[in-house]
Amino acid sequence: MPPKTPEQADTPATTATEHRNVPGLRLVRLDRRTPEVDTLREIVTRQRVAPEQRRFVDEAMHTLPRADAVPDLFPYAVVLTGADLSDRAQALDACAGFGIIDRVGVLRDLVDEPERAVLLRAFYLSPEHQGHGIGRTACSAPLLDLLVSQIVPEAEHIVLCVNDGNEAGERAYRAAGFTPTGRRHDAGDHGMQSVFSRPVNTGYHPVPRLPEPR
C-alpha cells in the first residue's frame, strides 16, 4: 500500500486573539488508496455544486472517474484540518471541495512552455463551504504550490481558466494571486474562458488564513 499523503502546509497555531477557532486547510491527494482517502473519494462524488455554478464546472462524480483513467490527472480533496478522517461523519463535515492538477490537458494552447506549467481544473467548493475564504486559501501559496511541486517538481506556473460570467470564481482566483495572461480559451459547452496564471511559490511567507468567523 502506498504511503499516506502528508498534510500540505497546515495552518500553524495562532494566538488567543487572532483567528480563534478557524480551521486550517490541507489538500489530500485522491490518487492514493488508504481508508481515509477511500472515504474522501466517496464523499466528493456525492457533493454537488450550487445550481448556478453547474454551467462553469463538472462535479467530481463525473471528473474523478476520468482522472482515475488518465495518468496525468491528479485529483485532490480540500479538507478542513482537525477532523478524524477515519470517522465518516467528521470527514463529511471536513471535506470542503475538490480539484484536479493536470500535467498536460490543453496546456499547449494556454502557455508558451507547457512542460513548465500545470493546469488547475474542475476546482470547486460545496455550497456550505462557500463564502468563508476557503476557495481563496486553497488556491494560494504555499498550500496549492506544495501539492503542485510534489506532483510536478519542475512546474514553474499554475494555470487555470475562468469562464465568462464567473465573477465569484474570478474574485477568488485573483485574491489567490492569479492574474490574467490575456489569452482566451474556447471550452466548448462551458463557453469562452480567460486564462489566468501565477508562479509556483513554495518559499517562506505567511500561510493564508481563513477569515475570522462572524
Side-chain angles (χ1 to χ4, degrees):
M1 178 181 294
K4 294 184 179 180
T5 305
E7 293 187 0
Q8 301 292 324
D10 285 347
T11 303
T14 59
T15 66
T17 58
E18 183 183 14
H19 302 284
R20 291 193 303 270
N21 301 320
V22 177
L25 294 176
R26 58 176 173 145
L27 307 181
V28 180
R29 285 176 61 170
L30 300 180
D31 60 326
R32 300 178 175 183
R33 305 309 293 264
T34 70
E36 292 83 2
V37 168
D38 288 344
T39 298
L40 290 173
R41 287 173 61 90
E42 184 266 330
I43 290 171
V44 297
T45 57
R46 292 176 178 270
Q47 287 179 331
R48 299 294 179 264
V49 300
E52 65 273 13
Q53 295 175 329
R54 288 176 185 156
R55 63 191 176 105
F56 299 137
V57 63
D58 291 330
E59 295 159 330
M61 63 180 295
H62 304 294
T63 56
L64 181 57
R66 297 174 197 163
D68 289 339
V70 179
D72 289 316
L73 299 181
F74 297 84
Y76 66 92
V78 180
V79 180
L80 303 177
T81 58
D84 178 4
L85 298 184
S86 65
D87 182 305
R88 190 183 183 284
Q90 291 191 46
L92 188 63
D93 289 338
C95 186
F98 176 79
I100 294 174
I101 300 298
D102 189 344
R103 296 187 62 184
V104 183
V106 294
L107 277 169
R108 64 174 61 89
D109 299 324
L110 306 180
V111 296
D112 293 329
E113 296 182 292
E115 69 279 1
R116 296 185 178 278
V118 297
L119 177 64
L120 174 61
R121 58 188 299 184
F123 175 80
Y124 63 86
L125 299 179
S126 57
E128 64 270 24
H129 288 104
Q130 294 180 359
H132 306 293
I134 295 175
R136 178 201 69 214
T137 305
C139 293
S140 295
L143 191 64
L144 180 62
D145 306 56
L146 290 171
L147 178 66
V148 166
S149 64
Q150 181 188 88
I151 295 170
V152 188
E154 65 273 21
E156 297 179 358
H157 288 86
I158 304 172
V159 181
L160 57 84
C161 296
V162 182
N163 289 81
D164 290 354
N166 187 2
E167 297 178 357
E170 181 172 336
R171 286 195 299 270
Y173 293 133
R174 284 182 180 272
F178 287 89
T179 57
T181 67
R183 295 192 180 190
R184 300 275 287 167
H185 175 63
D186 186 348
D189 292 342
H190 286 302
M192 293 301 298
Q193 301 174 326
S194 295
V195 181
F196 282 64
S197 176
R198 71 168 175 79
V200 174
N201 183 359
T202 58
Y204 175 79
H205 47 75
V207 176
R209 300 183 188 280
L210 302 186
E212 182 78 21
R214 295 179 179 179

